[in-house]
Amino acid sequence: MESTDQQTVFTGFPALDDILDSLRIGDNVVWRVEQIEDYQRFVAPFVQSALAEQREIIYLRFGNHAPLVEPGPGVTIVSIDALGGFETFTAHVWRLIEDHGRGAFYVSDCLSDLLDAWVTDIMVGNFFRVVCPFLYELDTVAYFALYTRSHSQKTLNRIRETTQVLIDVHRTPENEVYLQPLKVWQRFSPTMFLLHHQEGEQFRPITDSSEATRLQVQLERRLAENREHRLLDYWDRLFLRVSEVLSEEGDSFDDDTLLRQVVEILVGRDARMLDLATRFLTLQDALDIRARLIGTGFIGGKAAGMLVARAILLDQDPDYWAPRLEPHDSWYLGSDVFYAFLVHNGWWPRLMRQRTEEGYFREADLLRRVIPNGELPPEVRLELERMLDYYGQYPILVRSSSLLEDGFGNAFAGKYESVFLINQGDPEIRLRALEDAVRSIYASTLSEDALTYRLRRGLEGREEPMALLFQRVNGRYHDRFFMPDAAGVGVSRNAFVWDGDMDPRAGMVRLVMGLGTRAVDRIEGDHAAVIALDQPRKKPYRNETESYRFSQHQVDVLDVSGAGLVSQPLQELVRHLPDSTMQYLAEQ
């Protein structure tokens, strides 16, 4: 048997130590089991052996199953609430490992139970990819478990790539236990990776190929018969259930309960927004969102607010709004992708330093500098390509849509970037520009302005995973310029009433020609048309001189020849516009 000179650690099962050539300091051991009892039967001897060697045991307690480790001398039980979110949970474990330092041994509850809190197993994989190398670096040994068919193959592959030891445990209908090592780093024997039948305290390798064939076919067939044991995570299963219900193929189920479950994993945790979303969105709406969601996770405040507002209009007056609202074709980049991006590039330690009081601004500046050069996960790039195929060469607006942004009580106006893309050139050029836009907005989450705003509002400890909203820019081509005829922004209270008979509660619209950027951002020397919604024809000017002075003279457009977002003097731009358009937009 090949082995290394690293310090050995015993599993508590001498026969298992023979199979694995024991464990090594630094090993993370992942057990794939069908039931928690098959993990616990290997945890208990490991803990006893470690305590006998005077090792400290840290037990990470977060699962829904019964406790795996009993309290006692040498055992520290740390309860962690996974519902606090991926970052909060992972940061807690990270700090714990830092505090206990080198040499501590760890036992974790079943990682699959994290799906109840995080929904998507991409985050389970990201958690493991964060903590496993850190544990290895600090000379620990750690036990983890996964339920055999609760995760996607992609996540299983990532965990397998990261861990040092991976072992499958099978149980037959006759209650016989078999185990099969799938990965044992830097060790090998002729029978190490065979199925092994547990016979008392011994493990007999199945050396007869015919016996192994019959056994493995039996095990796979039994799992395949159970629909709940497909290689899908909770996220995929939930949307599969939505499809079945909508196609009337699903079994009896409370649609309201199903809608609530889906809305909770798409919209976020804000109680008031969840209430609105469950009242006005439908299961078909949720399925439509999923069809255009890249990655997994929440769609963020801006996207959720837009969808719910649209649904409210269609619900309250469908005859009026249905023919007036364009079909909705936005796409979304899920909030999980933000963390996946940081983990993929190995920046989690930097994020942990940034989350401290000393590193809040300093580490943010360092992260902000490297993020524009980061690599998006390959599966995300493929989905972005699919979106670009959908939009063709129409310009795209990439917008921030975080959980905190645009939530109730948090404006975050102007704190995060939005990027206009002219979306021109061959597919690879357009994809690079899109990736640059995504990274630019990710970097803006760590801008000094955004961090200061969070600090002032007591939000510095809250998770801020950034979702993104992709929208087709509304407008038309005029030679090399692309622009809408008009755009604007509305507010529900008019703070600019200029006449005593106006009602501030009626609201106000700031309307501009071209892109709506000039309606959102106040620009010195240029002015939007201000319209009181209760008296839209009443102008806030005393005479024609004021009307000209306080009107719009520059127009924001997209120059698709390469310049992108530019401001054009209106008097020059009119040469590119048909007279039929100008008669509705301006008076001479």
Side-chain angles (χ1 to χ4, degrees):
M1 176 178 292
E2 297 178 8
S3 64
T4 68
D5 294 330
Q6 258 182 299
Q7 183 181 347
T8 58
V9 173
F10 300 115
T11 65
F13 266 106
L16 182 57
D17 289 328
D18 289 341
I19 296 173
L20 303 176
D21 188 18
S22 300
L23 300 177
R24 301 288 186 271
I25 288 293
D27 276 351
N28 289 272
V29 184
V30 177
W31 298 84
R32 293 203 309 181
V33 298
E34 297 170 30
Q35 54 193 41
I36 197 64
E37 292 77 12
D38 288 334
Y39 175 45
Q40 188 169 24
R41 66 188 293 117
F42 294 103
V43 165
F46 170 69
V47 170
Q48 292 170 7
S49 176
L51 292 175
E53 295 290 328
Q54 297 186 330
R55 294 282 187 176
E56 181 183 14
I57 291 289
I58 312 300
Y59 174 35
L60 305 180
R61 179 73 177 126
F62 54 81
N64 302 322
H65 51 73
L68 303 172
V69 180
E70 295 295 328
V75 174
T76 301
I77 300 176
V78 182
S79 296
I80 312 174
D81 182 8
L83 290 173
F86 169 80
E87 182 182 331
T88 301
F89 181 91
T90 306
H92 190 154
V93 175
W94 183 274
R95 305 290 184 217
L96 185 72
I97 297 169
E98 275 187 328
D99 292 343
H100 285 277
R102 295 186 177 277
F105 283 10
Y106 292 81
V107 172
S108 166
D109 274 351
C110 183
L111 296 178
S112 301
D113 279 3
L114 293 172
L115 289 173
D116 292 340
W118 299 347
V119 181
T120 62
D121 71 345
I122 186 176
M123 304 313 290
V124 176
N126 283 332
F127 167 75
F128 192 79
R129 291 175 73 190
V130 166
V131 302
C132 176
F134 197 29
L135 290 166
Y136 176 81
E137 180 184 327
L138 292 180
D139 294 337
T140 71
V141 174
Y143 268 32
F144 300 90
L146 298 169
Y147 290 131
T148 305
R149 296 291 174 122
S150 293
H151 303 275
S152 68
Q153 191 62 53
K154 185 185 303 178
T155 293
L156 293 175
N157 290 343
R158 285 178 172 166
I159 290 176
R160 178 174 181 153
E161 290 169 2
T162 310
T163 193
Q164 285 75 39
V165 179
L166 176 63
I167 303 173
D168 269 356
V169 181
H170 303 284
R171 185 179 289 273
T172 67
E174 294 75 30
N175 228 24
E176 294 184 330
V177 174
Y178 292 80
L179 65 82
Q180 181 181 15
L182 300 180
K183 179 181 180 181
V184 183
W185 191 49
Q186 294 186 337
R187 280 99 82 195
F188 170 75
S189 77
T191 60
M192 179 179 285
F193 300 105
L194 299 182
L195 279 164
H196 291 73
H197 183 208
Q198 183 172 359
E199 299 172 351
E201 295 296 312
Q202 301 302 311
F203 293 93
R204 176 180 64 87
I206 308 300
T207 56
D208 186 311
S209 64
S210 296
E211 182 184 356
T213 298
R214 285 192 294 270
L215 175 62
Q216 289 184 304
V217 168
Q218 179 189 24
L219 293 172
E220 287 299 313
R221 185 172 295 160
R222 186 168 63 85
L223 288 174
E225 289 172 355
N226 189 343
R227 294 178 65 194
E228 294 301 313
H229 282 283
R230 286 174 287 188
L231 283 176
L232 301 172
D233 67 1
Y234 176 78
W235 174 276
D236 293 319
R237 289 195 182 100
L238 189 57
F239 281 103
L240 187 62
R241 175 63 65 89
V242 173
S243 298
E244 291 172 346
V245 168
L246 289 175
S247 63
E248 300 181 345
E249 295 177 1
D251 51 12
S252 176
F253 195 85
D254 185 342
D255 285 7
D256 290 339
T257 300
L258 183 58
L259 178 62
R260 178 78 183 189
Q261 291 174 347
V262 175
V263 167
E264 284 179 348
I265 69 174
L266 289 173
V267 170
R269 308 183 188 97
D270 186 280
R272 285 172 291 183
M273 181 57 78
L274 280 174
D275 179 60
L276 286 172
T278 51
R279 283 170 56 194
F280 293 102
L281 296 180
T282 66
L283 285 176
Q284 185 60 56
D285 291 331
L287 211 57
D288 291 342
I289 295 170
R290 175 67 184 93
R292 290 183 179 166
L293 178 62
I294 297 170
T296 56
F298 302 123
I299 60 175
K302 188 177 276 114
M306 175 190 65
L307 291 168
V308 170
R310 179 186 178 91
I312 291 172
L313 293 176
L314 291 171
D315 176 80
Q316 294 187 347
D317 196 346
D319 292 338
Y320 180 84
W321 287 108
R324 288 170 171 81
L325 291 175
E326 289 184 0
H328 183 70
D329 76 339
S330 295
W331 287 60
Y332 321 91
L333 189 67
S335 58
D336 288 351
V337 178
F338 177 72
Y339 287 132
F341 170 73
L342 296 175
V343 173
H344 181 73
N345 287 280
W347 294 332
W348 192 263
R350 293 186 178 189
L351 183 68
M352 290 297 92
R353 291 194 294 270
Q354 189 275 324
R355 295 306 196 235
T356 65
E357 185 177 348
E358 310 80 47
Y360 187 69
F361 288 106
R362 183 188 66 250
E363 293 292 336
D365 182 61
L366 296 174
L367 266 172
R368 194 167 60 248
R369 294 180 189 179
V370 298
I371 282 177
N373 298 314
E375 180 185 75
L376 291 172
E379 63 273 15
V380 174
R381 296 187 82 244
L382 290 173
E383 288 297 293
L384 291 176
E385 285 180 336
R386 184 167 71 93
M387 184 191 73
L388 286 176
D389 290 342
Y390 173 85
Y391 282 129
Q393 283 188 271
Y394 291 100
I396 300 171
L397 176 58
V398 185
R399 309 178 69 187
S400 61
S401 184
S402 75
L403 296 188
L404 298 181
E405 183 185 16
D406 293 335
F408 283 98
N410 300 318
F412 276 89
K415 300 296 184 290
Y416 301 142
E417 285 191 20
S418 291
V419 180
F420 281 99
L421 296 176
I422 58 174
N423 198 25
Q424 300 295 303
D426 65 44
E428 189 59 35
I429 290 174
R430 291 187 286 128
L431 178 61
R432 284 201 300 269
L434 178 59
E435 289 183 281
D436 286 343
V438 171
R439 289 186 286 253
S440 176
I441 295 174
Y442 280 173
S444 73
T445 66
L446 295 162
S447 70
E448 185 172 345
D449 194 20
L451 293 175
T452 300
Y453 182 83
R454 291 182 64 186
L455 197 61
R456 287 174 178 170
R457 299 186 68 83
L459 300 172
E460 68 277 10
R462 292 274 299 277
E463 287 193 13
E464 180 64 320
M466 180 62 72
L468 269 66
L469 172 63
F470 303 105
Q471 294 179 295
R472 187 197 305 266
V473 178
N474 190 286
R476 293 182 290 174
Y477 283 95
H478 302 282
D479 296 332
R480 73 176 194 273
F481 297 124
F482 185 92
M483 56 174 275
D485 293 336
V489 59
V491 293
S492 57
R493 184 174 182 84
N494 185 359
F496 187 56
V497 292
W498 59 89
D499 197 304
D501 61 352
M502 288 181 175
D503 184 1
R505 295 171 298 177
M508 174 190 77
V509 169
R510 288 169 50 82
L511 193 64
V512 297
M513 182 177 167
L515 297 171
T517 45
R518 287 181 172 263
V520 177
D521 302 322
R522 304 294 179 93
I523 299 172
E524 186 176 354
D526 215 34
H527 302 271
V530 178
I531 300 167
L533 293 180
D534 57 335
Q535 299 189 47
R537 295 184 179 275
K538 181 171 286 191
K539 297 181 180 181
Y541 314 119
R542 291 175 296 185
N543 51 51
E544 288 186 2
T545 300
E546 281 193 356
S547 179
Y548 177 76
R549 177 184 174 189
F550 296 111
S551 65
Q552 182 180 359
H553 301 283
Q554 298 280 326
V555 181
D556 287 352
V557 300
L558 293 177
D559 183 348
V560 297
S561 66
L565 178 62
V566 296
S567 297
Q568 287 288 304
L570 178 55
Q571 291 187 343
E572 294 181 16
L573 185 63
V574 293
R575 298 201 304 267
H576 300 273
L577 303 177
D579 293 338
S580 59
T581 300
M582 290 303 299
Q583 65 177 313
Y584 297 107
L585 301 175
E587 57 186 19
Q588 306 260 342

